[in-house]
Amino acid sequence: MFRPARMQKLSIVTLNKYSKATIDALHEKGYIQIDDLSEVIQEDEAYEGLGVSKQDPVASRIASLSMKCNNIIDTLKSAEQSQSIVDVIKGYISPKEIQPKTVENLQSDELADKAEEIINKVDNVLSPIESRMNEIGSEKTKYKDSLNVANQLSSFDIDFAYLQNSKYTNVITGRLPTDNLAEAKSQIEEITQEVEIAEGSTTTSGDVTYVPLIIVCASKFEEEISGVLRRLEFEKLDVTNLSGKSNEIIEASESKLDELESERKQCLKDIDEIGQRSKEHLLVINEQLEVEKERTEIYSYFGETETSKMFQAWVPKDKVEETKSLIDELTDGHSVIETEDPTDEEIDNNKVPVKQMNPGFAKPYELFVNMYSTPNYKDIDPTIIMALCFPFFFGYCLTDAFYGIILAIVGFILYQGMGKFSKTYKSFGVIVVQCGLWTILLGLLTGGFIGDFVPRFIMGDASAALPTVLPDINAFAHPENILIIAIIIGLIHLNIAFLFGIIDNVKRGNIKELCGGQLCWVLIELAIVLFIVTGSLPLLGIVFVIALLLLIYGVGPMGVMDIFGFLGDILSYSRLLALCLSTGGIAMTANLLCEMLTGMIPYVGIVLGIIVFLAVHLFNIAFQSMGAFIHSLRLHFVEFFGNFYEGDSAEFVPFKASRIYTKVKE
């Protein structure tokens, strides 16, 4: 329970004709993790006679069809009508259940033929619409550019057809910051006097005022004049192929853009209709392709001869016999299976994949443990301790029963909603519910229910306590007791870490790490306890000196400085008090402001008081929940894990078919 599942390695050899059925069945079961033998076969003489297995010839076709299918699905999704906020919320609370379609387990080439037929049928209808959508996009860009040019030059009453270049003259059109106009004219006149500059009405963009210009010059001076203008931040406006006055171009461009937008919307509507008819079939066939893609690609991990395939896989020990029976059944006994325990070298080098084995209530917290590092195969898995302590620490930080109720409801919605389809959402849902329940309990015991809402507004005495409060742990009456409890909890938490570290180091034979990492701190704590119980100063000194010697032996003379780190770890748990008081303090402030506003300002004050009340409490629950989450996580990642946990192993990744839209026909 406190250690990962024991693993065994299976080496399997079977005839080629049985390999497809065997791999398909193992893929559906998801018991094994297959090792990549491609490099080992080429380098290790023990595998002499074996070649690296090639992918199924159909693999590239399957992958190509899967990519094409995904692209079509993405296109269909892009045309779906956007949902309202209400619909989005409903989707999270009560997502539509997916009824998987029963499918046959086809041969690779048969599946590829079937997929190609379905995909091409949809693509033949969709491709012309997509092509037209791309053309519409290009045309809209062209007309938007024309509209922008016409708007910028709208102060000139001239047909743009007259602004085209000729054999001997060039026309430069654009806009220039007004601050640079005088300098531009001066530098252009230095180049040539044979130039005409027409100025339009100024416009402002941001903090800069621009003046539109039409500059007509001899062709031979165009490049030099353009260089001057570029240096002075001139923005060129291309009038090539434009004809008509600016108002005519604006009217024609706007009309054409409206027409193109209407056509685009019709294309999206047509794509949406195609999606409604075809999307379900595409999702089913795409899932089949993805599953088959994994199966065809896995062969590159195998070794082979002309007639047989060989592969190695890690299997949890409790699934070994079932896996062997399944392979034996599928190969009609024509297989050789060798079972091995992990070697010391594989364990020491973290080559054994880790599958965590935790009870249901702790399973969601594997997410947090793996966020730090996957547990080491040979060491203790701390997930259960984290599952017990994390929600408690969270509740200790928040300590408001009403906030806990809100969190528990949110967690339940996550669990019952998106948790049906996502393991991550499900895990977070369970964690949030547990955090909410601890917050409710500790809030009622310490006096937090929307701050002091009940005493202030219902009981009529802000200094009164809730009936559920234990007087000695009333957070605002006796914060010193909350601090003492937090430190005691911290010591218990740290000593569990020391115990785990002692067990792991004894098992490994790491005596120095044992002395300098855990045993010295336990002895220092023992010295203090003995002094409190017996009052004997010599006894305190003897045990403390022994602890100090162990510390120096373990980490060297500079290890004495680690005593301050140890004290820091203990005092770090005082953050539980700090967050507890800050949550209650902000909640009480919200209630006090509400009371003051409703009492000071007739009528309007009631509205303002309610707004302030809701706004501050919403901020408080969001901000303090985030703080409680971060600090509870920190107490585990830094103070707890830092005293024993190494991790750094690879997670067990089962070779398993991921199915949402399909199920295999029995």
Side-chain angles (χ1 to χ4, degrees):
M1 186 166 66
F2 280 99
R3 294 193 182 276
R6 300 297 89 186
M7 306 295 291
Q8 288 189 315
K9 184 191 285 185
L10 300 186
S11 298
I12 302 136
V13 179
T14 187
L15 297 175
N16 286 336
K17 66 178 181 178
Y18 297 114
S19 60
K20 166 69 175 167
T22 303
I23 291 302
D24 288 359
L26 291 172
H27 196 215
E28 292 298 332
K29 291 291 185 181
Y31 293 159
I32 67 173
Q33 174 182 312
I34 297 177
D35 271 356
D36 185 355
L37 296 178
S38 55
E39 291 185 11
V40 180
I41 288 171
Q42 296 174 25
E43 298 171 0
D44 194 335
E45 293 181 359
Y47 293 91
E48 189 177 353
L50 278 179
V52 178
S53 180
K54 301 177 182 61
Q55 282 189 357
D56 190 307
V58 191
S60 58
R61 187 182 172 201
I62 293 286
S64 175
L65 286 168
S66 176
M67 186 181 298
K68 186 175 181 180
C69 191
N70 274 314
N71 290 337
I72 292 174
I73 291 170
D74 289 342
T75 302
L76 296 178
K77 285 180 178 178
S78 69
E80 292 176 353
Q81 294 182 355
S82 58
Q83 293 181 312
S84 66
I85 294 176
V86 174
D87 289 335
V88 171
I89 293 172
K90 283 182 179 178
Y92 274 97
I93 295 174
S94 181
K96 184 180 176 182
E97 290 197 31
I98 298 169
Q99 298 297 331
K101 184 179 178 181
T102 303
V103 295
E104 293 182 359
N105 192 13
L106 301 173
Q107 293 294 320
S108 300
D109 52 352
E110 291 176 350
L111 176 61
D113 291 340
K114 180 182 177 182
E116 194 166 36
E117 181 183 349
I118 293 171
I119 292 168
N120 287 342
K121 186 176 179 181
V122 178
D123 192 45
N124 290 338
V125 181
L126 190 61
S127 286
I129 302 174
E130 279 191 282
S131 298
R132 182 54 191 152
M133 286 276 288
N134 292 331
E135 291 171 4
I136 290 171
S138 299
E139 288 182 43
K140 285 182 75 173
T141 300
K142 183 181 76 172
Y143 284 107
K144 282 178 180 178
D145 291 342
S146 300
L147 184 61
N148 177 55
V149 170
N151 279 321
Q152 297 290 347
L153 302 177
S154 60
S155 56
F156 295 105
D157 186 23
I158 186 172
D159 191 326
F160 283 19
Y162 299 137
L163 302 180
Q164 309 303 314
N165 294 334
S166 68
K167 184 176 181 181
Y168 299 106
T169 62
N170 275 47
V171 180
I172 304 171
T173 54
R175 65 177 189 169
L176 184 75
T178 52
D179 294 342
N180 299 338
L181 180 60
E183 187 178 350
K185 286 182 176 180
S186 173
Q187 292 189 31
I188 290 171
E189 287 173 0
E190 289 178 7
I191 296 170
T192 178
Q193 296 293 321
E194 298 175 11
V195 64
E196 290 292 334
I197 302 175
E199 302 175 25
S201 302
T202 59
T203 57
T204 301
S205 177
D207 297 330
V208 183
T209 301
Y210 292 92
V211 58
L213 300 176
I214 297 177
I215 302 170
V216 184
C217 64
S219 298
K220 61 183 179 180
F221 299 117
E222 189 273 337
E223 185 174 344
E224 197 171 352
I225 291 172
S226 293
V228 169
L229 292 171
R230 279 195 300 272
R231 289 193 292 273
L232 296 173
E233 301 178 32
F234 180 77
E235 294 181 17
K236 190 172 182 179
L237 298 170
D238 189 5
V239 296
T240 308
N241 300 324
L242 292 180
S243 61
K245 294 186 177 181
S246 57
N247 61 327
E248 295 171 347
I249 294 173
I250 290 170
E251 184 180 349
S253 296
E254 287 179 342
S255 174
K256 190 63 179 176
L257 284 170
D258 289 340
E259 182 183 323
L260 289 170
E261 180 60 21
S262 296
E263 189 178 354
R264 187 187 74 87
K265 288 179 178 177
Q266 183 58 48
C267 287
L268 288 174
K269 186 178 178 182
D270 293 342
I271 292 173
D272 188 40
E273 289 176 358
I274 294 170
Q276 291 178 22
R277 295 194 305 268
S278 310
K279 188 177 171 184
E280 184 180 337
H281 301 295
L282 288 170
L283 288 170
V284 168
I285 199 66
N286 186 56
E287 186 167 271
Q288 289 181 271
L289 287 170
E290 292 287 349
V291 169
E292 193 63 27
K293 180 170 171 280
E294 288 181 8
R295 292 173 179 176
T296 53
E297 290 178 348
I298 201 67
Y299 285 101
S300 62
Y301 285 21
F302 294 4
E304 69 174 2
T305 65
E306 283 188 17
T307 58
S308 65
K309 292 276 193 296
M310 184 266 183
F311 63 98
Q312 288 183 342
W314 290 103
V315 189
K317 199 168 185 177
D318 61 347
K319 295 293 182 184
V320 167
E321 291 306 317
E322 187 176 346
T323 302
K324 289 167 69 175
S325 297
L326 179 64
I327 294 171
D328 191 58
E329 180 184 341
L330 291 165
T331 60
D332 292 331
H334 296 88
S335 60
V336 178
I337 305 172
E338 184 179 295
T339 306
E340 301 173 84
D341 288 321
T343 63
D344 291 339
E345 182 183 355
E346 287 173 327
I347 294 172
D348 291 338
N349 293 328
N350 291 328
K351 298 295 184 182
V352 184
V354 168
K355 181 181 181 182
Q356 292 167 270
M357 298 291 289
N358 291 295
F361 80 91
K363 204 76 178 168
Y365 293 88
E366 292 177 0
L367 186 70
F368 290 163
V369 173
N370 290 327
M371 192 189 302
Y372 184 87
S373 180
T374 305
N376 195 297
Y377 181 76
K378 60 187 176 182
D379 292 342
I380 290 174
D381 179 355
T383 304
I384 292 176
I385 300 301
M386 191 170 191
L388 294 171
C389 295
F390 180 89
F392 174 76
F393 288 164
F394 185 99
Y396 205 107
C397 291
L398 205 55
T399 52
D400 190 291
F402 184 78
Y403 292 179
I405 292 170
I406 299 296
L407 287 172
I409 291 170
V410 170
F412 182 75
I413 289 170
L414 281 175
Y415 180 83
Q416 285 291 98
M418 296 302 294
K420 292 178 181 177
F421 309 107
S422 167
K423 183 181 177 181
T424 303
Y425 274 107
K426 186 176 182 179
S427 295
F428 266 111
V430 172
I431 291 168
V432 173
V433 168
Q434 291 177 354
C435 289
L437 293 175
W438 271 112
T439 303
I440 294 169
L441 176 61
L442 294 175
L444 292 174
L445 294 177
T446 57
F449 190 93
I450 323 181
D452 60 350
F453 181 87
V454 175
R456 184 178 296 275
F457 295 112
I458 297 176
M459 298 169 67
D461 180 5
S463 62
L466 291 173
T468 57
V469 172
L470 294 178
D472 288 338
I473 58 170
N474 187 325
F476 284 92
H478 296 289
E480 71 282 0
N481 290 342
I482 301 293
L483 176 61
I484 291 168
I485 293 170
I487 297 299
I488 292 170
I489 290 167
L491 285 168
I492 294 170
H493 200 226
L494 287 173
N495 278 281
I496 293 172
F498 295 152
L499 175 62
F500 286 173
I502 289 168
I503 293 170
D504 284 340
N505 283 319
V506 167
K507 186 178 178 182
R508 294 181 199 157
N510 292 340
I511 304 303
K512 281 196 170 185
E513 180 65 29
L514 171 65
C515 293
Q518 293 92 28
L519 204 55
C520 59
W521 310 123
V522 174
L523 285 177
I524 287 174
E525 291 175 323
L526 180 62
I528 295 169
V529 171
L530 288 173
F531 177 72
I532 293 171
V533 173
T534 66
S536 173
L537 198 58
L539 186 59
L540 168 67
I542 292 168
V543 179
F544 187 83
V545 167
I546 293 171
L548 203 58
L549 291 172
L550 288 175
L551 178 60
I552 293 170
Y553 170 73
V555 295
M558 292 303 294
V560 175
M561 301 299 294
D562 289 347
I563 293 174
F564 297 105
F566 173 60
L567 294 174
D569 283 350
I570 296 171
L571 293 176
S572 184
Y573 288 84
S574 63
R575 72 186 63 241
L576 298 174
L577 166 70
L579 269 77
C580 168
L581 294 181
S582 66
T583 303
I586 295 173
M588 287 174 65
T589 302
N591 297 340
L592 182 59
L593 287 173
C594 176
E595 186 179 44
M596 290 172 61
L597 286 169
T598 54
M600 291 170 59
I601 309 172
Y603 305 115
V604 177
I606 296 173
V607 177
L608 290 174
I610 292 171
I611 292 172
V612 169
F613 177 86
L614 293 175
V616 176
H617 278 295
L618 284 173
F619 165 80
N620 198 29
I621 188 172
F623 184 76
Q624 297 296 342
S625 295
M626 182 173 66
F629 177 86
I630 291 169
H631 287 284
S632 300
L633 207 58
R634 181 238 149 81
L635 287 172
H636 285 87
F637 283 4
V638 179
E639 279 74 23
F640 186 64
F641 288 176
N643 281 295
F644 76 98
Y645 189 62
E646 288 188 5
D648 206 30
S649 285
E651 188 176 357
F652 178 76
V653 181
F655 178 61
K656 181 175 175 62
S658 176
R659 295 191 182 274
I660 299 173
Y661 302 101
T662 61
K663 59 181 180 181
V664 179
K665 186 178 181 181
E666 297 294 335

